[in-house]
């Protein structure tokens, strides 16, 4: 005798048909690894065992497991967002540090390339090439800055000290090779505060003004030269103005 299945709208859906839709969603989650750990758990295996359809294994997932999967996915997304935010903040902090370092280097470069007057708040009392019997050459080889005895004298720019000590008519003097290849000379000093070979920066105090050597009173004699030696002088006012110092 043959048995036939009843037909009609009251026929109860088969087990395979009821699980097909849910199985599709679970399969998608499984490929991402979201429920890999859950499927492997004994509780999950006991409650949601796979059934063979003859074609593929099908897993039934209860509402509580689905909620756990959703929570895990949300936690993973939030962790990824937090990591991205932390990386962006670290990148921004690094960019700020690098920008500050560049600004500091640029400020230092400008400072080292700057020029200042050799005596602060002073003026030229005797000009370049002024004629007088006071000078052996017959004319002034530099300029004189008004300065009382003991007034601080500054290096006009960055350079290296090449000569210090007694300079005959110049009295106590200092000669500095400037960073641009020129030389500056400071004469009639009452004291010297640098040594040969020392590096100086703009505004560095190198000595005190005085009246040593051939002079009628305290002041600073300043020269700009092409070499460290007497007779290679150029206009010191033009030299200072070229570097932004108005005297």
């Amino acid at each position: 005798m043959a048995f036939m299945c009843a037909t009609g709208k009251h026929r109860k859906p088969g087990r395979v048909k009821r699980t097909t839709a849910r199985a599709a969603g679970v399969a998608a989650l499984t490929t991402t690894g979201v429920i890999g750990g859950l499927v492997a758990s004994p509780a999950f295996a006991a409650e949601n065992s796979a059934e063979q359809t003859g074609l593929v294994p099908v897993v039934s997932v209860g509402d509580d497991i689905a909620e756990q999967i959703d929570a895990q996915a949300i936690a993973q997304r939030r962790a990824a967002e937090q990591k991205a935010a932390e990386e962006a903040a670290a990148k921004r902090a690094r960019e700020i540090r690098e920008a500050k370092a560049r600004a500091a280097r640029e400020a230092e470069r400008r400072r080292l390339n700057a020029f200042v007057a050799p005596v602060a708040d002073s003026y030229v009392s005797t000009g370049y090439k002024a004629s007088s019997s006071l000078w052996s050459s017959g004319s002034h080889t530099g300029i004189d800055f008004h300065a009382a005895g003991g007034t601080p004298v500054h290096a006009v720019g960055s350079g290296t000290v090449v000569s210090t000590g007694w300079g005959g008519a110049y009295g106590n003097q200092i000669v500095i090779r400037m960073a641009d290849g020129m030389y500056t000379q400071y004469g009639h000093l009452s004291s010297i505060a640098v040594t040969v070979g020392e590096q100086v920066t703009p505004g560095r105090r190198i000595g005190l003004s005085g009246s040593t050597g051939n002079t009628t009173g305290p002041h600073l004699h300043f020269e700009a030269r092409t070499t460290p030696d007497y007779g290679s002088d150029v206009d010191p006012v033009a030299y200072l103005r070229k570097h932004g110092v108005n005297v």
Side-chain angles (χ1 to χ4, degrees):
M1 177 182 294
F3 293 92
M4 304 294 293
C5 293
T7 61
K9 66 181 180 178
H10 298 295
R11 180 184 177 187
K12 183 178 180 180
R15 176 72 172 178
V16 173
K17 182 177 180 180
R18 292 198 307 274
T19 61
T20 299
R22 179 168 292 178
V26 172
L29 291 173
T30 302
T31 61
T32 65
V34 173
I35 65 170
L38 295 172
V39 173
S41 66
F44 182 85
E47 181 178 348
N48 301 280
S49 60
E51 296 185 6
Q52 290 291 341
T53 64
L55 296 176
V56 295
V58 178
V59 180
S60 299
V61 181
D63 291 341
D64 57 338
I65 299 301
E67 290 175 356
Q68 293 181 44
I69 293 170
D70 291 341
Q72 184 177 353
I74 292 172
Q76 290 176 344
R77 184 177 69 251
R78 289 177 177 173
E81 292 172 349
Q82 181 178 356
K83 182 179 179 181
E86 291 173 350
E87 290 176 348
K91 180 181 178 181
R92 178 57 179 162
R94 183 170 61 253
E95 291 173 345
I96 291 174
R97 288 195 302 271
E98 292 173 351
K100 288 182 177 179
R102 286 194 300 271
R105 289 194 298 269
E106 177 61 21
E108 180 65 6
R109 185 190 66 79
R110 288 196 301 267
R111 185 183 74 83
L112 293 176
N113 288 333
F115 271 63
V116 300
V119 179
D121 302 321
S122 184
Y123 59 88
V124 175
S125 57
T126 306
Y128 181 56
K129 294 299 184 183
S131 298
S132 173
S133 58
L134 292 173
W135 305 296
S136 59
S137 63
S139 64
H140 202 203
T141 55
I143 54 177
D144 291 341
F145 282 91
H146 174 77
T151 301
V153 174
H154 309 283
V156 296
S158 296
T160 304
V161 178
V162 297
S163 176
T164 64
W166 189 256
Y170 292 111
N172 293 322
Q173 68 166 359
I174 298 171
V175 178
I176 298 175
R177 186 183 191 279
M178 309 304 293
D180 62 2
M182 293 287 289
Y183 293 81
T184 53
Q185 184 243 15
Y186 311 76
H188 306 311
L189 304 175
S190 61
S191 67
I192 296 172
V194 291
T195 58
V196 173
E198 189 171 350
Q199 302 288 320
V200 296
T201 54
R204 161 74 185 278
R205 189 175 74 95
I206 57 176
L208 300 176
S209 63
S211 58
T212 58
N214 184 16
T215 176
T216 59
H219 65 278
L220 171 70
H221 176 84
F222 175 80
E223 289 188 17
R225 298 172 173 177
T226 58
T227 75
D229 303 319
Y230 171 81
S232 62
D233 54 278
V234 298
D235 185 352
V237 172
Y239 178 71
L240 290 175
R241 287 179 177 174
K242 176 184 176 181
H243 292 283
V245 180
N246 291 319
V247 293

